[in-house]
Amino acid sequence: MTDPVFRQLTGSEAPLFRSLPDPGLVGRAITGVGYRTVAEGGDYRPEWSWVALRDGAVVARAAWWAGPDDREPLLLNWFDIAPGEEEAGAELLRRAPWNVEYEVIAPAGWRDDPVLRAAVESRTDAAEAAGMKRLVERLTYRWTSDLELPARPGRLEFRPEPDDDVIFDVLRRIHAGSLDAHARLAIEKSGLDLAAQEDLDFFRWCPSPREWWQLGYDPAGELAGIHVPVHNPAGPAVGFIGVVPEQRGHGYSYDLLVECTNMLAETGATFIAAATDQGNFPMAAQFARAGYPVVTERINLV
């Protein structure tokens, strides 16, 4: 058996990337819609897409993603390996020039299906062999307009906050004692300021109105938390929900989530994406209460 060749695609080689046999529903469940380049109306760029070729056949493939205005990839979210080619997949990741997070997308309950479990574990095993470490598993949600819109509880008053310094300070306070794995990783690296700045940078990156960022206040006029509805490149989403430490225990995360959901619905959103860490049981409970069904599970490796 010859050694594999590793290389990025050229502009006309999308069919080569697609030539690896798709493992039916497993492949579509994990990678979502079919691979399409930007020129084909999709999200992927050939120069950010790599293949491992053995005797001219694709045995592993990976595609990195970013927003339309980004100059470098932000995320690896497409990675497939032919049966028995785990080492080729790992080497493909080692040779690619980007050190960004890998997000494995799988159907809810994937561990209960042997075929799905094997497909997910082959990818995560190869990524770990390439030097990545598992950070967190997350639940992703999708509210759609055919579901009931949760009624506003009416306990909080919401106001837009135009001052980024105020938003930064609120985010910094919220991340003290955060259950979010990405926030905790940022805090471990460089403290609360980095965690708050990463969120603020994400809000700014999203192509949605700045005035959507709102603070919520309790009946006494005290700050309860923040919610940030966004439109990311994939559509409307719950960008951030957070309660300041001194207001925790009152269930205000539900009020913030409901306001965020209603605001997006009032702008015409027919679906709303959201996510939380599997270990963040309080927030997962609020998504369930608000009527958000789980649609996929994700594993994040860094």
Side-chain angles (χ1 to χ4, degrees):
M1 186 165 58
T2 60
D3 292 336
V5 174
F6 304 92
R7 66 174 178 85
Q8 67 184 162
L9 296 186
T10 65
S12 62
E13 289 187 313
L16 177 65
F17 191 94
R18 293 191 285 260
S19 68
L20 180 63
D22 189 324
L25 293 175
V26 176
R28 286 193 289 274
I30 292 174
T31 57
V33 298
Y35 175 89
R36 292 185 299 164
T37 64
V38 172
E40 295 172 319
D43 295 326
Y44 295 97
R45 310 181 198 185
E47 64 271 22
W48 295 351
S49 303
W50 280 57
V51 291
L53 301 166
R54 193 185 299 278
D55 297 325
V58 177
V59 295
R61 60 187 178 190
W64 285 257
W65 177 90
D69 298 324
D70 293 311
R71 297 185 177 182
E72 292 292 331
L74 300 179
L75 186 72
L76 169 64
N77 63 1
W78 192 304
F79 179 45
D80 293 318
I81 310 164
E85 294 286 359
E86 286 75 11
E87 177 51 36
E91 184 63 21
L92 177 65
L93 297 185
R94 293 187 197 107
R95 295 196 180 208
W98 305 290
N99 183 22
V100 296
E101 190 166 320
Y102 171 33
E103 185 173 73
V104 187
I105 306 170
W110 59 270
R111 282 186 172 86
D112 299 328
D113 183 312
V115 175
L116 286 172
R117 183 167 186 155
V120 172
E121 290 181 347
S122 69
R123 290 156 173 79
T124 56
D125 288 349
E128 289 174 334
M132 290 185 169
K133 294 182 179 180
R134 193 175 301 225
L135 175 64
V136 68
E137 295 191 28
R138 289 170 63 77
L139 300 171
T140 64
Y141 304 87
R142 188 179 177 92
W143 178 89
T144 53
S145 55
D146 60 315
L147 299 172
E148 184 178 354
L149 189 64
R152 289 177 165 105
R155 297 193 299 169
L156 300 180
E157 177 189 350
F158 295 96
R159 308 174 204 159
E161 175 49 67
D163 189 336
D164 280 7
D165 289 340
V166 173
I167 297 291
F168 180 87
D169 180 65
V170 172
L171 294 170
R172 197 177 184 282
R173 290 165 62 187
I174 288 169
H175 284 316
S178 175
L179 296 175
D180 183 88
H182 286 87
R184 293 204 307 265
L185 179 63
I187 292 166
E188 289 172 8
K189 287 180 178 178
S190 195
L192 289 170
D193 283 358
L194 178 60
Q197 191 62 53
E198 286 184 351
D199 285 325
L200 196 57
D201 290 344
F202 167 70
F203 303 162
R204 291 168 173 161
W205 174 81
C206 291
S208 42
R210 171 63 178 78
E211 58 268 24
W212 284 5
W213 310 2
Q214 289 191 337
L215 302 182
Y217 296 86
D218 69 11
E222 297 298 323
L223 177 68
I226 181 175
H227 78 95
V228 182
V230 299
H231 268 247
N232 61 35
V238 176
F240 189 86
I241 302 291
V243 177
V244 294
E246 62 271 22
Q247 293 276 24
R248 290 171 185 161
H250 301 295
Y252 285 144
S253 56
Y254 179 75
D255 301 55
L256 293 160
L257 173 60
V258 169
E259 185 65 22
C260 188
T261 303
N262 276 269
M263 277 189 61
L264 286 167
E266 287 164 0
T267 68
T270 58
F271 71 89
I272 301 170
T276 194
D277 291 2
Q278 287 196 14
N280 191 342
F281 300 113
M283 197 64 231
Q286 303 298 22
F287 276 114
R289 181 183 173 193
Y292 275 76
V294 175
V295 290
T296 61
E297 297 179 23
R298 303 194 179 197
I299 304 169
N300 295 86
L301 298 97
V302 295

